[in-house]
Amino acid sequence: CGGVLSDKLSRTRGGEGERLWVPMVGLALAAACWVLTLRAPSFEAAMGWLLLQFLAAECWFGPTVAVMQYQLPVDVQGGAQGIFSALMVAGNLA
């Protein structure tokens, strides 16, 4: 979801840096959905808001990888992606 949105944004607004608006807006939406999750009147409503929160919170991944790949020279992109993925795994284990 985030990758598609950031692709459209970078094409229409004309720049790779424009991609980073998607994670920033996603973070704000995720925070709002989290508050609505906590204040939901029922379990079903809370799960709906939590689903939306998760989708908004996870839209950072595609744009972040796209900007990282764009900024790095071709000969180090694979290594950088490997380190990024390894750090993601380590972070998820913590």
Side-chain angles (χ1 to χ4, degrees), residues 50-71:
L50 191 59
L51 172 66
L52 293 175
Q53 184 273 335
F54 181 75
L55 292 174
E58 293 302 316
C59 71
W60 68 271
F61 189 75
T64 302
V65 171
V67 170
M68 179 180 71
Q69 295 295 330
Y70 179 78
Q71 294 293 323

Side-chain angles (χ1 to χ4, degrees), residues 13-90:
R13 305 275 298 200
E16 284 298 310
E18 300 296 326
R19 291 180 185 274
L20 297 177
W21 279 102
V22 173
M24 289 188 288
V25 171
L27 175 63
L29 289 173
C33 288
W34 182 247
V35 170
L36 292 168
T37 298
L38 295 176
R39 299 178 60 83
S42 68
F43 177 77
E44 291 79 12
M47 291 299 101
W49 286 116
L50 191 59
L51 172 66
L52 293 175
Q53 184 273 335
F54 181 75
L55 292 174
E58 293 302 316
C59 71
W60 68 271
F61 189 75
T64 302
V65 171
V67 170
M68 179 180 71
Q69 295 295 330
Y70 179 78
Q71 294 293 323
L72 294 173
V74 174
D75 59 332
V76 299
Q77 287 179 355
Q81 182 65 49
I83 292 169
F84 181 79
S85 297
L87 290 172
M88 290 283 299
V89 169

